[in-house]
Amino acid sequence: MTLQPASGARDLNPQQVRKNHLIASKLSSLYQLWGYERISPPHIERLDTLTAAGGISNNEILKIVSDEPLGLRPEITASIVRAASTRFNEYERPLRFWSAGTSFKCNQSIDGGIDIEESFQSGVELIGTKAINAEIELLSLLIESLEVIEIDQKYKMTLLIGNTYLLELILSSFDSTKIDQIKKILCDLDYIALTTLDVKEEQRMFIKTIMNMRGKPEKVLTNLQNIYGSNPYIDKLKELFTIIEPLAKEKGIEVQLDPTLGTKYKLYSGLTFSLVSSSTSAPVTIAKGGRYDDLVKKFSSSAQNCYGIGFSISVDKVRELVSTSKEKLVNNVKVLIAYKQSANLYKALKQQKELHRKGIISVISHEPLKTNDEKNQLLKSNRCNKIEWID
């Protein structure tokens, strides 16, 4: 019998599970304050739903052996959009949903095998609103989420914002046969591939200029306007940053505009964003999202109100950034109730109930303690830091 978990899967210890629950609980309370209602889509869906109408590669989905083509969800958005277009089709728009749960991604390992990437995420979806106010609401909620999570202040936060239409505008000036190649270079910031790209030197220098354009929104938008002239997407982004930048600054979050911001999945059509945290080794993307109007259209039977935007927060990644000292402040007392005679077990149960009423974690020794010398070992084995005796 194999005793190891599946390749890529992990066992979480009690402390990790406790921190995940605490983070998810804080986020859920915030979502509800903003008027979002919980929805719980299934872990298993049909493959045509999971591929999000072509937005997600079939190879990235963990399949299930079944009479019909089924798989485990690699993300939650497609399932929620499917539910919104079917079960909740008659509901008035906008729909504000939040969800929390596990997703499963299928990755190719170096030796050609399959690695399962299991992750716990929490997020929201706002479906049925076209106005830029939807983007502003989602980004404002994401910024406020950071405050309730209480990430350690030593980690610097950067909110990267892009727009798929800006990227399309940039690519429109190149030969159509080279667009896919250039897009990959831009999104991956691949300077090495740029040196071997078969284009004129003038175009190569222009691509490099675009790759280096990420930075302060006002400066980037001015540079883009100087190149492409007046554009409705540029105007909308100016309006967006006027509101979002001050909110982010209050929370110590740097905001950058990245015209080449790409996403792994081709779900998005319009605004895209990623929340990146510094770390001791490499930057960590703890949240991402964007507008997915085209996805809603593909699932919907009607052409009306086919708009959607959302984000997901990686609870597993956030867990590593939360201060352990703050986490220990919550229920840091764990009491062991001990007794020397079996006849006192009933009294021990009553004492435990009283401690539970006060919100104090407590457990009862399964065996009577014959001597005080056993106390330290019993505290250790039950992972308690305080003892109460029942005489």
Side-chain angles (χ1 to χ4, degrees), residues 175-193:
D175 186 337
S176 60
T177 60
K178 298 281 195 308
I179 284 181
D180 289 342
Q181 195 176 357
I182 294 171
K183 182 179 180 180
K184 190 175 189 314
I185 289 171
L186 287 171
C187 293
D188 294 345
L189 293 176
D190 193 341
Y191 290 94
I192 296 175

Side-chain angles (χ1 to χ4, degrees), residues 116-155:
I116 301 169
E117 183 183 342
E118 181 180 350
S119 61
F120 182 47
Q121 66 184 66
S122 171
V124 300
E125 313 294 342
L126 176 54
I127 298 171
T129 300
K130 180 182 180 182
I132 193 174
N133 290 355
E135 278 95 332
I136 292 171
E137 176 176 322
L138 262 289
L139 288 170
S140 301
L141 176 52
L142 179 60
I143 290 168
E144 195 169 330
S145 296
L146 280 184
E147 186 175 12
V148 301
I149 293 171
E150 298 182 283
I151 289 176
D152 197 310
Q153 292 183 355
K154 69 181 178 183
Y155 298 110

Side-chain angles (χ1 to χ4, degrees), residues 318-344:
V318 168
R319 182 186 70 234
E320 304 304 320
L321 306 177
V322 174
S323 172
T324 53
S325 60
K326 287 183 180 180
E327 192 267 339
K328 286 178 181 177
L329 290 176
V330 181
N331 290 333
N332 61 338
V333 175
K334 187 175 179 181
V335 177
L336 173 68
I337 303 172
Y339 50 92
K340 291 185 178 180
Q341 297 178 4
S342 297
N344 287 330

Side-chain angles (χ1 to χ4, degrees), residues 263-277:
T263 58
K264 181 179 180 181
Y265 298 140
K266 299 175 183 178
L267 295 177
Y268 301 110
S269 48
L271 190 80
T272 59
F273 51 90
S274 295
L275 187 61
V276 181
S277 169

